[in-house]
Amino acid sequence: MSASRSQVRWLIFLFIALTAGLAATRATAAPPTPRANWNPCYRDFGFPFECTIVQVPLDHAAPQGAAISIAMIRLPAADPARRIGSLFLNPGGPGGSGFNFALFAAPFLFTPEVRSQFDIVGFDPRGIGRSTAVRCFGNDRQWGGFFTEFVFPITPEEEMIWADADRFLEAACDRRDPWMRDFMSTADVARDLDLLRQAVGDEQLTYYGVSYGSYLGVTYANLFPDRVRSLVVDGVLDPIAWSTGAPGEENLPFSTRLRSDAGALATLEEFFRLCDAGGPNCAFSGDSADRFAALAARLQAEPLVILLPDGSTFVFTYSHLIGNALGAMYDSFSWPEFAELLAALEFFASPAELGLRLEALWQREGLITKRGFPKYNNAIEGFPSVACADSDNPDTFAAWAAAAADAEANFGYFGRLWTWITSTCAVWSGSQASRYTGPFTADTANPVLVTGPLYDPATRYEGAVTVANLLPNSRLLTVAGWGHTTLFMSQCADQAIAAYLLDGTLPPEGTVCQQDLVPFTFPAAAAAGSSAMTGRMQVNPFLVADAVWRSMR
């Protein structure tokens, strides 16, 4: 009689436990430095990109064992004679493609001085995209059982459907790719990043990480504090809330502990305030908060049919309203289009008109598939592979339901969405053996720059304050702005980040930069074509969280 998969897996884990002493001995041996052999690539994009694939250990506790591939791309320094080194990027997620982030955004990020003196390097973290990837499905047509007709569940019946979708994903991963998930923690990626630093010949790391990329940066800073040259974290996650939570939060999902729901609600309230103050510059001005609440109640009672320009139709519900509201909050440049959509919904526009307004919002948020993305995007399995490996979570859907109800009662519209988005962790079976859970208080060789906007709907400003207080050798740069991360938000912040990256100059203690273009203080057309708006559209596909794309597909 053959052994079952669970028996085989148990025997493997038993073998690992019995040989732990040997593994510990091997861990003391340094892994081989990977070789980066760069070759021209994507030259039809109009820039001199170079690509390579390097090998890193699958298991950093056994560095001489099996290897995996990490895909990298770089935009070489425009002025090689003044080149300082490599500037590594991570766009967040987890599950975001740093390769694509560099491909589409590197020519526009930072200041000309930074681009001229650094190779801008993007990489797909282990398990993601072009690197050796977690893959739970043969093709995207097999995803169907994961998606639901709603963005987040509200009723007990919807919660059961949602839980079944999570079980569908876990079962698919367990059948097709049960092993890679055991080596997907952020600490594993940080160890990879240190090898990539060596591969490009840098003695210390220069890094810019946004959103979840802030957690990668903070983890690196604590694992390798002596190897930090310049490290910027932007749109910052509270690392304690992400990993273990504070005492008393043991039965809360990690996404609830982060309180992104509170950050999203605060940003939406700013949308209402600025919209009303903007008068004719906002299509939804005049008691907009009350009108939004009335619209939300109406959609809960009677959803609307929307006809998209491609001829397809779908039923637009309350959960779609909240999902699109969250997507809009990520980028305050999209607020005029969001206001127009709200006005069209409120006045019962035709299904075709609603479809045009909705597509205009999606276009503004950059949610149109771009050339250069892999045909198969493994964000579905990539997100939980990392997030569930990193974080403590309850193991019952009942705990998610209770947390969601409480979050909605205390933090309004986004409480259920930001809680349920991580519910796959209730059944996820990947290992947590290699994760890092703190402390997050290392004294780094050089200062860390921590920055974020006051109103961020995903990584609220309090996360930046927490990290700045945890890291003794850090400086907090505040941006009085609206949206997820400070990218293309403020020239003041851009210059401060550039000065820090170039020579380590920190902004003065207590620096607050203002957002350059305040929403609704000018006609919507006035910002069209601005470098800030163009740049933001380049990065939005990488900033919009997995919490949003269920509603945007």
Side-chain angles (χ1 to χ4, degrees):
M1 183 175 180
S2 62
S4 69
R5 174 177 299 206
S6 61
Q7 289 171 322
V8 172
R9 200 171 194 181
W10 183 85
L11 289 171
I12 291 173
F13 287 150
L14 177 61
F15 174 78
I16 292 173
L18 292 174
T19 59
L22 175 60
T25 301
R26 288 182 301 180
T28 62
T33 300
R35 297 181 62 183
N37 298 313
W38 298 99
N39 294 292
C41 60
Y42 295 96
R43 294 300 172 92
D44 59 325
F45 276 55
F47 298 95
F49 287 109
E50 298 175 338
C51 296
T52 189
I53 295 177
V54 300
Q55 302 296 304
V56 299
L58 170 65
D59 181 0
H60 284 278
Q64 306 302 324
I68 58 173
S69 298
I70 304 296
M72 300 171 65
I73 186 172
R74 72 178 178 184
L75 181 62
D79 187 351
R82 296 195 299 150
R83 178 183 177 276
I84 295 173
S86 297
L87 170 53
F88 285 86
L89 308 177
N90 183 278
S97 170
F99 188 108
N100 288 330
F101 187 49
L103 178 61
F104 290 107
F108 312 101
L109 291 172
F110 312 114
T111 64
E113 292 78 13
V114 171
R115 294 195 299 271
S116 70
Q117 296 183 54
F118 283 99
D119 298 339
I120 310 298
V121 180
F123 68 100
D124 281 351
R126 60 171 52 216
I128 304 303
R130 295 171 176 82
S131 295
T132 301
V134 168
R135 184 158 181 170
C136 301
F137 302 96
N139 55 64
D140 56 10
R141 293 185 297 276
Q142 297 174 5
W143 291 345
F146 177 69
F147 289 104
T148 63
E149 295 181 354
F150 40 86
V151 182
F152 55 88
I154 299 174
T155 67
E157 292 76 18
E158 290 177 345
E159 290 174 351
M160 291 178 63
I161 294 171
W162 190 273
D164 285 343
D166 287 333
R167 294 188 185 99
F168 169 82
L169 175 59
E170 161 60 24
C173 291
D174 196 50
R175 285 193 305 269
R176 185 181 176 100
D177 197 347
W179 309 118
M180 184 68 195
R181 292 186 296 159
D182 291 340
F183 303 98
M184 286 286 290
S185 74
T186 298
D188 285 320
V189 181
R191 296 179 181 107
D192 293 344
L193 179 56
D194 196 55
L195 291 175
L196 301 183
R197 171 194 61 79
Q198 297 174 49
V200 299
D202 286 1
E203 293 186 4
Q204 292 180 308
L205 179 72
T206 303
Y207 173 84
Y208 179 79
V210 300
S211 193
Y212 158 79
S214 69
Y215 186 69
L216 173 57
V218 169
T219 300
Y220 184 94
N222 283 276
L223 289 176
F224 306 105
D226 59 326
R227 300 173 198 173
V228 171
R229 176 194 173 273
S230 297
L231 193 150
V232 183
V233 287
D234 184 354
V236 184
L237 289 165
D238 178 337
I240 297 172
W242 178 274
S243 56
T244 61
E249 295 181 328
E250 293 80 4
N251 208 38
L252 281 179
F254 81 91
S255 56
T256 307
R257 298 193 300 257
L258 288 168
R259 290 271 73 101
S260 299
D261 46 14
L265 181 61
T267 309
L268 181 64
E269 289 172 344
E270 283 293 286
F271 166 84
F272 295 143
R273 180 181 70 83
L274 293 168
C275 176
D276 288 345
N281 292 330
C282 179
F284 200 63
S285 64
D287 301 318
S288 57
D290 291 340
R291 290 164 62 190
F292 184 88
L295 176 59
R298 197 181 84 205
L299 286 171
Q300 284 183 302
E302 185 179 0
L304 293 173
V305 174
I306 287 185
L307 174 64
L308 293 173
D310 65 3
S312 61
T313 62
F314 75 98
V315 177
F316 190 85
T317 68
Y318 168 77
S319 74
H320 290 106
L321 173 69
I322 302 307
N324 279 275
L326 179 58
M329 294 307 102
Y330 271 56
D331 176 18
S332 54
F333 284 119
S334 75
W335 287 7
E337 286 82 1
F338 181 55
E340 290 172 358
L341 172 65
L342 294 178
L345 289 166
E346 182 182 49
F347 289 108
F348 294 96
S350 70
E353 173 67 15
L354 291 175
L356 289 172
R357 295 295 184 190
L358 191 59
E359 186 168 86
L361 178 63
W362 291 350
Q363 180 80 40
R364 172 76 276 286
E365 291 170 353
L367 295 173
I368 304 300
T369 300
K370 289 189 172 187
R371 182 170 59 98
F373 283 93
K375 291 182 179 179
Y376 181 90
N377 185 333
N378 74 332
I380 291 176
E381 52 267 72
F383 177 88
S385 291
V386 179
C388 302
D390 282 346
S391 59
D392 289 341
N393 291 285
D395 59 4
T396 68
F397 289 109
W400 256 268
D406 184 69
E408 182 181 49
N410 289 286
F411 299 100
Y413 298 116
F414 303 102
R416 288 184 177 273
L417 189 160
W418 271 121
T419 293
W420 278 107
I421 192 57
T422 59
S423 57
T424 308
C425 292
V427 291
W428 198 252
S429 59
S431 172
Q432 294 186 316
S434 63
R435 71 173 181 158
Y436 180 78
T437 59
F440 299 100
T441 55
D443 192 357
T444 52
N446 291 292
V448 172
L449 182 59
V450 183
T451 185
L454 287 176
Y455 297 96
D456 188 318
T459 52
R460 63 180 189 147
Y461 176 69
E462 286 79 357
V465 174
T466 296
V467 167
N469 288 333
L470 286 169
L471 291 174
N473 193 12
S474 65
R475 180 65 51 83
L476 177 63
L477 171 65
T478 301
V479 177
W482 305 265
H484 183 36
T485 81
T486 69
L487 284 168
F488 299 101
M489 187 177 284
S490 166
Q491 292 186 42
C492 163
D494 292 347
Q495 292 296 329
I497 291 171
Y500 166 75
L501 290 172
L502 290 166
D503 59 22
T505 300
L506 290 170
E509 192 87 40
T511 296
V512 178
C513 290
Q514 303 297 316
Q515 179 165 325
D516 295 334
L517 300 174
V518 177
F520 304 123
T521 58
F522 49 85
S530 69
S531 59
M533 176 175 281
T534 301
R536 193 72 184 192
M537 288 186 72
Q538 289 289 332
V539 303
N540 268 348
F542 307 99
L543 300 180
V544 176
D546 297 84
V548 180
W549 59 253
R550 282 185 189 242
S551 67
M552 301 300 187
R553 52 197 177 87

